[in-house]
Amino acid sequence: MSVLVVGGAGYIGSHVVRLLRESGTDVVVVDDLSNGVPARIGDTTLEQIDISANAAPEALAGVIRREKVDAVIHFAAKKQVGESVERPLFYYQQNIGGLVNVLEAMRRENVTKMIFSSSASVYGAPEDAVVTEDSPTEPINPYGRSKLIGEWILADCERAWGLNWVALRYFNVAGAGWPELGDSVIMNLIPMVLDKLADGAAPRVFGDDYPTPDGTCIRDYVHVKDLAEAHIAALHGLDGQLTHHVFNVGTGRGSSVTEVIESIGRVSGLDTSPLVEGRRAGDPPKLIASADRIREDLGFVAKADLDEIVASAWEAWQAGPRRIEA
Ligand code: WQD
């Protein structure tokens, strides 16, 4: 068994690479290193390829042939919501163009197993706080639309040439499975709070007047190592007969922004008293995964609770260049 991990030097991809290699699976990584860090994957074979380039299918097909690849896990994509609103064509070129090129290489080389990184952002701002995979998909930005279109493309390839696929809709991914694999981008709540604390500043809360118990937004935080395990479960699922292709990956439990910031205070021993700012545009008050389908079909259950996620994020942050002295 040999697995091609596209985007394997990134935050989530490198966790999957680590788990696969620990289980004795052969792995080859393709990454353009725009966000990926080679040190994250140690001595794993790395091919630096821009998957959105015209020459990519040829180059990827060469890697698939040489490494005798049986399955592809596709992480490589742009993921900044705000940037996707500013530069929609760039997002479609990167996320859709890249996926199409990976699939074209797979089609040429008769590789039929694919796991695709989708996102809870395909649901947009849903009516119901808890979303199942059958909830309406109404993404509200080009990033979310690029993920939904990706799922449609996979379904079309299934019909046309028998692609066997799973799309995992990630909820709020955080933490680190190993301290050196922490998220190096300051884009989401936990890194943004730690970044403020590293500056000696107060964490920011974007709105405390939402219709939730403490007034701050509720999200479903899932440990990146649990998420990586979900990919392993999906890979095993592709060996059998799957009834579904699309799965939420979350815990089924919600935590508010205030609860996350309090957890960071407990874990770090720092004063995390926040500064409340106005609402950020486009934030749904409450977004929680129904985690039933992935448990029933793939036997996957996320294990880590909020404090464990935060503790691992804190440990990874302290191992990095902006260590916070108490
Ligand atoms: C969580 C909550 C903020 C920072 C986004 C994407 C989604 C997915 C995950 C990628 C919100 C609040 C944040 C801060 C705050 N992306 N917040 N103070 O918006 O749920 O989801 O990331 O692949 O597609 O949309 O995550 O971490 O940005 O925010 O109060 O300093 O924390 O307003 O309520 P979000 P987030």
Side-chain angles (χ1 to χ4, degrees):
M1 171 89 172
S2 172
V3 178
L4 166 59
V5 183
V6 184
Y11 166 53
I12 303 171
S14 62
H15 280 83
V16 172
V17 168
R18 182 83 62 113
L19 288 186
L20 285 170
R21 293 208 54 196
E22 281 187 356
S23 71
T25 306
D26 290 333
V27 178
V28 55
V29 167
V30 162
D31 203 297
D32 68 0
L33 301 181
S34 57
N35 274 315
V37 181
R40 285 198 176 119
I41 56 167
D43 62 358
T44 309
T45 308
L46 169 66
E47 294 284 342
Q48 193 173 348
I49 296 172
D50 171 3
I51 59 161
S52 68
N54 288 337
E58 191 66 35
L60 290 163
V63 173
I64 288 172
R65 262 197 314 277
R66 193 191 69 219
E67 303 289 333
K68 301 188 173 52
V69 167
D70 321 281
V72 177
I73 309 184
H74 181 55
F75 293 98
K78 298 289 165 199
K79 60 169 186 177
Q80 297 194 31
V81 171
E83 187 185 38
S84 82
V85 175
E86 305 283 320
R87 302 179 68 193
L89 296 179
F90 177 63
Y91 268 65
Y92 290 122
Q93 191 260 344
Q94 291 282 305
N95 293 4
I96 305 298
L99 173 65
V100 167
N101 285 341
V102 172
L103 288 166
E104 172 58 16
M106 291 173 66
R107 189 190 65 79
R108 285 189 201 171
E109 299 302 322
N110 298 311
V111 175
T112 54
K113 290 181 187 168
M114 150 77 83
I115 299 173
F116 174 65
S117 302
S118 188
S119 164
S121 62
V122 300
Y123 297 113
E127 295 269 313
D128 300 322
V130 179
V131 289
T132 74
E133 291 82 352
D134 296 324
S135 296
T137 44
E138 293 167 2
I140 54 173
N141 51 60
Y143 166 72
R145 279 189 277 278
S146 78
K147 290 298 176 182
L148 186 57
I149 294 167
E151 293 182 5
W152 295 341
I153 292 172
L154 296 172
D156 286 339
C157 290
E158 177 189 0
R159 282 183 281 270
W161 47 273
L163 180 72
N164 189 8
W165 62 284
V166 163
L168 298 177
R169 293 177 175 168
Y170 308 163
F171 280 65
N172 289 64
V173 186
W178 293 267
E180 66 277 17
L181 299 188
D183 193 358
S184 54
V185 183
I186 315 293
M187 230 177 58
N188 296 111
L189 175 60
I190 295 173
M192 285 169 76
V193 169
L194 293 174
D195 186 55
K196 286 289 176 199
L197 295 172
D199 287 343
R204 301 290 193 268
V205 171
F206 300 148
D208 68 352
D209 57 351
Y210 284 96
T212 60
D214 65 24
T216 65
C217 288
I218 292 176
R219 295 288 181 274
D220 187 333
Y221 294 88
V222 58
H223 196 302
V224 64
K225 194 171 179 192
D226 281 330
L227 174 62
E229 295 280 5
H231 290 76
I232 307 299
L235 202 54
H236 291 143
L238 287 177
D239 288 334
Q241 205 57 27
L242 283 174
T243 15
H244 299 103
H245 294 284
V246 173
F247 299 93
N248 288 340
V249 191
T251 63
R253 294 180 301 275
S255 305
S256 72
V257 172
T258 297
E259 286 170 333
V260 171
I261 293 177
E262 284 174 357
S263 173
I264 294 171
R266 270 196 303 281
V267 162
S268 67
L270 297 170
D271 175 9
T272 56
S273 314
L275 204 69
V276 178
E277 296 185 350
R279 292 184 179 194
R280 188 175 73 173
D283 276 338
K286 216 170 164 190
L287 190 60
I288 300 169
S290 161
D292 294 344
R293 181 185 280 182
I294 194 165
R295 185 188 66 244
E296 287 161 12
D297 289 17
L298 299 179
F300 168 80
V301 177
K303 294 192 261 319
D305 65 16
L306 179 65
D307 277 355
E308 291 170 281
I309 295 170
V310 167
S312 73
W314 169 250
E315 194 192 346
W317 184 276
Q318 291 298 75
R322 297 193 68 213
R323 187 185 167 81
I324 303 168
E325 302 299 338

